[in-house]
Amino acid sequence: AGRAGKTSVLELHDRFDATIPWQGGDTVDGWMYESMDRTLGVWAALHGCGETPEPVATKFDGGSKKLRCNAYPDCSRGRVMRCKYDGGHGDWPDQPQADHLIWEFFRNITQAD
């Protein structure tokens, strides 16, 4: 895993993005994207995590964009988490909660991770 296995990953993605859809696939601009599940599954494997992400409660859940997060369990190093929220390409979760979510994610990573 090398250095990649020491890099924690937080993916924030809007549910209705047609430009870079979280489900992956071909898009109208001619690009093909891997799904968020497949991409984060690779990161989870590098971190020695369980295969299936599980819901994780954060103090930032809900709001006008209905933020919900899932994390891969039992990682042997680092963390891999994804959060989805209502919106389209370029939209951002409610502020300042999104900034606080990102800070909390990285602040809670220890050197041992």
Side-chain angles (χ1 to χ4, degrees):
R3 291 182 183 165
K6 296 178 183 179
T7 304
S8 289
V9 177
L10 172 62
E11 168 78 19
L12 299 172
H13 210 103
D14 33 22
R15 288 186 182 93
F16 310 117
D17 190 340
T19 304
I20 304 174
W22 67 266
Q23 307 92 328
D26 294 325
T27 59
V28 294
D29 61 5
W31 291 90
M32 195 221 28
Y33 295 94
E34 289 290 346
S35 72
M36 179 171 55
D37 291 340
R38 183 176 174 129
T39 302
L40 291 179
V42 171
W43 281 104
L46 286 169
H47 286 76
C49 306
E51 292 183 20
T52 305
E54 299 174 351
V56 59
T58 76
K59 60 185 175 184
F60 310 105
D61 290 349
S64 68
K65 304 268 180 124
K66 300 181 180 95
L67 180 87
R68 292 286 180 265
C69 299
N70 291 275
Y72 286 82
D74 307 319
C75 299
S76 60
R77 57 197 167 276
R79 296 177 66 200
V80 180
M81 188 167 96
R82 68 176 187 213
C83 300
K84 289 190 254 184
Y85 53 92
D86 289 351
H89 187 71
D91 286 339
W92 195 245
D94 293 332
Q95 288 295 338
Q97 293 86 349
D99 292 342
H100 295 301
L101 170 70
I102 295 165
W103 172 245
E104 289 290 318
F105 177 82
F106 288 108
R107 185 178 72 138
N108 288 313
I109 297 169
T110 65
Q111 287 294 86
D113 287 342

